[in-house]
Amino acid sequence: MYGLIGKITAKAGEREALVAAILSGSGAMPGCRSYVVARDAADPDAIWVTEVWDDEAAHKASLQLPAVREAIARAMPLIADFGPSFPTVPVGGTGL
């Protein structure tokens, strides 16, 4: 499995629009086992995206899906900064 955890900071006041934009493209993504968008509890403009994929190739392939590309296009103007991003190797847990 392949995992990715990343922080994204929205432009001031745009967090909810960013969440909606990102989630709009997260429907049918082959190889995706989990895709969670969460509000940062301490930063009113930040979100965390936690992903689990069958493998890194499935993640890379998802970036070519029309719905994902449209979501990225909607999200980019709302983003102030990409924070840290951490690749992981999920080993199991609830939902996996």
Side-chain angles (χ1 to χ4, degrees):
M1 278 192 273
Y2 173 76
L4 191 60
I5 301 169
K7 183 177 183 180
I8 305 171
T9 302
K11 292 179 180 175
E14 297 289 349
R15 179 167 76 176
E16 295 310 310
L18 178 59
V19 167
I22 290 173
L23 288 175
S24 73
S26 67
M29 297 188 295
C32 184
R33 296 180 178 223
S34 178
Y35 191 91
V36 177
V37 177
R39 293 179 189 99
D40 187 297
D43 183 340
D45 293 317
I47 63 172
W48 289 89
V49 179
T50 305
E51 308 172 50
V52 177
W53 297 86
D54 288 339
D55 51 38
E56 190 172 1
H59 174 259
K60 286 182 181 180
S62 75
L63 299 175
Q64 300 308 312
L65 296 170
V68 172
R69 292 176 67 86
E70 290 170 18
I72 291 170
R74 281 194 296 277
M76 289 304 290
L78 305 170
I79 295 172
D81 185 45
F82 287 96
S85 179
F86 307 97
T88 64
V89 181
V91 295
T94 302
L96 297 180

